[in-house]
Amino acid sequence: MRHVIALDVGGTGMKAALVGPDGELLHQDRRATGRERGPDAVVAAIVGFAADLYAYGERHFGAGAGAAGLAVPGIVDEPNGVAVFSANLGWRDVPLRALLADRLGIPVALGHDVRTGGLAEGRLGAGQGADRFFFVALGTGIAGGFGLDGRVEPGAHGFAGEIGHVVVRPQGDPCPCGQRGCLERYASAAAVSEAWAKATGDPDADAAQCARSVASGDPNAVRVWGEAVAALADGLVTALTLLDPRVLIIGGGLAEAGDVLFRPLREAVQSRVTFQKLPTIVPAALGDTAGCLGAGLLAQDLLATTTPEVIP
């Protein structure tokens, strides 16, 4: 099996790697998305980056990559290889899989960034060995991925795992999705930053500062943090009631608070379960490399099941 291209696209930057058959990272690189120049420029940057990675493999390893995996944010139609929508990148209905396959001449897999990160956590990280896990990323927003027997379920229409838009506070704060009271309006890093800035009167205050203030016993911070943890626990109990995962994996920027988050969160979830089985709640293990590693897994899976003549 040849090496593969793994490419993880974020709002402002892209992380990439060439990954060997045994999972070894043969080469790593980063570039800006160039989103300030518009969605067409972002697409061109992705395709150009992938082409450069393919050429690097030809020069240094004697052959180009056998397949490529691409993880992108927003709404993703994985079966058809289409990036349907991304608010951060401004695109709609971009056939990314076909564009990359045409440029590179190899099979390409397209995945949702959080679900792809969940795939990596399930196989290589905190969920390794678990038959069922739920991965939740607490970043600017909140999204998740349900892992089952080594894969992450995308859903019938590509929306599976969107726990950030589970309503936890009916008639609560409006969400850009059109609902009110969504989980990510209360428990995302952005929501905690907003609440802490309001509590302190400092527009530059953020969630990381709030976590540090919680650790030092600031009562204002304890209140803000406690409200976020309560909302998160409500959302997670909904997820475990529906999915019955063996492990709940929490990642993203807010998870970097460590025990300041995990100690009260475990207590809050435990206090809410009745008949449900309490899963193990653990921090993600792979950090910001999860999306790239997951993209590599998508490509390796594709390469293992696709003949060289077949390009999706």
Side-chain angles (χ1 to χ4, degrees):
M1 187 183 292
R2 289 154 63 185
H3 68 271
V4 299
I5 294 169
L7 185 52
D8 178 24
V9 179
T12 58
M14 301 182 285
K15 297 183 286 290
L18 297 181
V19 184
D22 57 355
E24 179 186 3
L25 296 177
L26 305 174
H27 171 67
Q28 297 181 73
D29 198 0
R30 293 180 181 238
R31 287 187 189 175
T33 59
R35 69 174 182 175
E36 68 280 358
R37 299 193 303 274
D40 290 344
V42 175
V43 173
I46 293 169
V47 175
F49 197 9
D52 290 347
L53 291 162
Y54 187 90
Y56 184 96
E58 286 185 310
R59 291 195 306 271
H60 293 271
F61 306 117
L70 176 63
V72 299
I75 300 170
V76 183
D77 179 352
E78 295 176 16
N80 292 307
V82 177
V84 177
F85 174 71
S86 171
N88 286 335
L89 297 175
W91 62 35
R92 286 184 181 273
D93 299 321
V94 181
L96 277 175
R97 186 177 69 190
L99 291 173
L100 261 67
D102 288 347
R103 178 69 178 271
L104 304 177
I106 58 175
V108 175
L110 180 69
H112 180 275
D113 57 352
V114 173
R115 288 196 294 267
T116 302
L119 178 67
E121 285 289 348
R123 290 199 200 171
L124 308 173
Q128 195 169 9
D131 57 344
R132 291 169 176 80
F133 67 88
F134 191 60
F135 170 69
V136 180
L138 307 175
T140 303
I142 298 178
F146 178 57
L148 175 63
D149 293 332
R151 65 180 185 86
V152 175
E153 172 58 46
H157 308 96
F159 295 115
E162 291 291 347
I163 188 175
H165 297 290
V166 168
V167 174
V168 295
R169 299 291 179 265
Q171 305 308 312
D173 295 344
C175 179
C177 79
Q179 298 188 115
R180 300 183 72 93
C182 289
L183 176 60
E184 70 175 40
R185 291 297 297 122
Y186 298 91
S188 64
V192 174
S193 294
E194 181 181 334
W196 184 231
K198 183 178 179 180
T200 60
D202 178 3
D204 296 322
D206 61 17
Q209 293 170 356
C210 184
R212 289 193 293 270
S213 296
V214 170
S216 65
D218 183 314
N220 236 0
V222 170
R223 175 186 58 78
V224 168
W225 196 258
E227 290 172 357
V229 168
L232 180 57
D234 289 340
L236 291 178
V237 170
T238 297
L240 69 89
T241 302
L242 292 171
L243 301 173
D244 189 26
R246 204 170 302 279
V247 181
L248 274 172
I249 305 168
I250 311 297
L254 215 59
E256 294 175 7
D259 281 347
V260 171
L261 174 66
F262 284 92
R263 185 178 295 113
L265 179 61
R266 291 184 180 112
E267 293 173 356
V269 171
Q270 185 169 14
S271 72
R272 285 162 170 75
V273 299
T274 54
F275 66 91
Q276 305 95 332
K277 292 294 185 181
L278 189 67
T280 304
I281 301 176
V282 297
L286 302 176
D288 71 353
T289 66
C292 192
L293 291 170
L297 291 173
L298 290 178
Q300 288 173 332
D301 288 351
L302 190 59
L303 191 58
T305 58
T306 307
T307 61
E309 294 77 22
V310 176
I311 298 176

